[in-house]
Amino acid sequence: DAKTTQPNSMESNEEEPVHLPCNHSTISGTDYIHWYRQLPSQGPEYVIHGLTSNVNNRMASLAIAEDRKSSTLILHRATLRDAAVYYCILRDANSGNTPLVFGKGTRLSVIA
Amino acid sequence: KAGVTQTPRYLIKTRGQQVTLSCSPISGHRSVSWYQQTPGQGLQFLFEYFSETQRNKGNFPGRFSGRQFSNSRSEMNVSTLELGDSALYLCASSLGRGRLVTEAFFGQGTRLTVV
């Protein structure tokens, strides 16, 4: 699996936008970019995924660079509930149900 | 609909014992994966079951095993427990094993402490 690189930690003020970066310079053409987050004392939860185009859902937006070597998860208005570890994961669409390979992720702190 | 249910939530075992953890996936989901989470190693994949067959396996010793029943419920077993097996064990269910599986749903995990 291609590897991803994320900052260890980030901090945001409540109700401000948050941009969580992820580098994946060795991404292949069939790798989808997935984001999961893990709130304290809970299992990970799916946030969003994309291939080439930017994606939006009720939780977040995913901005993918034109060369696909990096992406950014955007939380439009951070709330205290968004404090979690965010994982950027690549999954090869040609490999069936490949396991999720979690890195260290980015620990997001939200300040009231 | 009900989420992924893992039982028990907490467990304390003694070194050398064995333990069985249970996972009930979301209704209709046929793929169940298990992960181990520790502070030092993070989240690591153990194995995946689909239609009662193990489809993928992570890099764990043979003491770690699992199975899946015809109703998609899954169990994992750890024999001859070691102190290092203390961890949060997470189960995730997915709808299937198609060419692209979009989303995995995780349970809250079973916290295993080995003393």
Side-chain angles (χ1 to χ4, degrees):
Chain A
D1 290 319
K3 292 188 185 295
T4 62
T5 305
Q6 301 177 251
N8 290 333
S9 62
M10 290 186 65
E11 201 172 80
S12 171
N13 293 318
E14 197 177 11
E15 298 191 7
E16 288 190 356
V18 182
H19 290 231
L20 297 161
C22 180
N23 287 321
H24 28 77
S25 58
T26 59
I27 190 171
S28 75
T30 54
D31 281 331
Y32 276 74
I33 302 158
H34 291 247
W35 284 81
Y36 280 75
R37 71 179 185 180
Q38 188 172 19
L39 303 173
S41 302
Q42 294 192 28
E45 65 174 342
Y46 167 84
V47 178
I48 200 166
H49 78 282
L51 182 63
T52 56
S53 305
N54 294 344
V55 185
N56 300 297
N57 67 20
R58 64 173 180 80
M59 288 181 70
S61 296
L62 176 60
I64 302 172
E66 199 169 325
D67 63 5
R68 300 209 327 124
K69 294 184 185 299
S70 65
S71 61
T72 303
L73 179 70
I74 302 166
L75 306 179
H76 296 286
R77 287 179 74 240
T79 68
L80 296 177
R81 196 196 173 274
D82 291 321
V85 179
Y86 287 78
Y87 298 97
C88 170
I89 300 168
L90 301 183
R91 295 188 87 181
D92 183 357
N94 285 334
S95 299
N97 197 16
T98 56
L100 293 167
V101 179
F102 290 85
K104 300 289 186 188
T106 296
R107 183 173 298 278
L108 174 66
S109 301
V110 180
I111 303 167
Chain B
K1 58 183 175 183
V4 178
T5 303
Q6 291 189 246
T7 56
R9 288 292 312 280
Y10 303 92
L11 207 48
I12 300 176
K13 288 286 189 178
T14 304
R15 247 183 324 176
Q17 286 186 314
Q18 73 162 9
V19 68
T20 300
L21 312 181
S22 179
C23 172
S24 293
I26 291 172
S27 177
H29 284 197
R30 297 170 63 192
S31 172
V32 174
S33 298
W34 289 88
Y35 293 80
Q36 180 197 64
Q37 186 171 29
T38 60
Q41 298 298 317
L43 272 155
Q44 293 186 288
F45 170 74
L46 280 157
F47 28 65
E48 181 226 345
Y49 286 86
F50 180 82
S51 291
E52 302 176 64
T53 302
Q54 188 179 91
R55 304 292 179 144
N56 279 308
K57 189 177 191 306
N59 188 26
F60 278 82
R63 299 185 298 108
F64 291 82
S65 63
R67 59 178 175 168
Q68 186 179 35
F69 302 95
S70 58
N71 61 358
S72 294
R73 191 177 70 84
S74 177
E75 290 181 346
M76 69 161 282
N77 184 78
V78 188
S79 62
T80 320
L81 284 166
E82 301 176 359
L83 295 179
D85 297 333
S86 296
L88 180 67
Y89 289 88
L90 290 155
C91 167
S93 79
S94 299
L95 194 56
R97 297 195 88 247
R99 190 165 173 272
L100 176 63
V101 178
T102 59
E103 187 173 353
F105 295 83
F106 284 81
Q108 289 196 289
T110 293
R111 171 77 61 187
L112 172 64
T113 303
V114 182
V115 297

